[in-house]
Amino acid sequence: MTTALSNTTFILGGARSGKSRFAESLVVSTGLDRHYLATGRAWDEEMQARIAQHRADRGPSWTTHEEPLNLVGTLAAIDGEGRIVLIDCLTLWVTNLMMEGREMAGEFAALADFLPRVKARLVFVSNEVGLGIVPDNRMARDFRDHAGRLHQMIAANAAEVYFIAAGLPLKMKG
């Protein structure tokens, strides 16, 4: 049985559902030292533009850390009392790990082992990928399965869990 970590919030929803905006508003409302851990990679011009827009929308009051793979190491490096870290997003992290051929269970276990030691508040954002049709290829099915397992682990450890749809938060836990 997992004990919920009082410093952890998990925000889940579909693409363009308002997850990041909701997460950012939660972070800002705390008054803590704001850190943004971005897992996305700018593979093309469209993604470069999205990343630039997210940065501009957040403004200068955030410290941004871009890390596509070493989530635990980066969290450990920026961890501290009086800080809040928004991790956006876990599904991009899963994608990056898969593209690099990483061992998923080990990566997820390392994160689960690290979470109870974190001093900062954490807000995880991720895309819910299990509500649609079964993907038609192995890689997409593996991605869905990995994301689902990771989401279950984070939700079990989080004190608060929100599902966002059409910009509206539904509090599922906490």
Side-chain angles (χ1 to χ4, degrees), residues 60-111:
S61 64
W62 293 75
T63 301
T64 300
H65 310 269
E66 296 179 354
E67 178 50 56
L69 297 168
N70 188 10
L71 186 61
V72 172
T74 304
L75 284 171
I78 62 177
D79 188 26
E81 297 286 341
R83 290 188 173 170
I84 187 163
V85 182
L86 185 128
I87 301 96
D88 197 353
C89 88
L90 290 175
T91 44
L92 288 175
W93 182 57
V94 169
T95 298
N96 296 335
L97 293 173
M98 288 181 70
M99 297 305 287
E100 295 291 327
R102 297 288 186 90
E103 201 276 306
M104 305 303 280
E107 295 283 349
F108 296 171
L111 179 58

Side-chain angles (χ1 to χ4, degrees), residues 20-33:
S20 294
R21 185 175 331 131
F22 179 74
E24 290 169 12
S25 71
L26 284 181
V27 169
V28 169
S29 72
T30 68
L32 297 171
D33 180 28

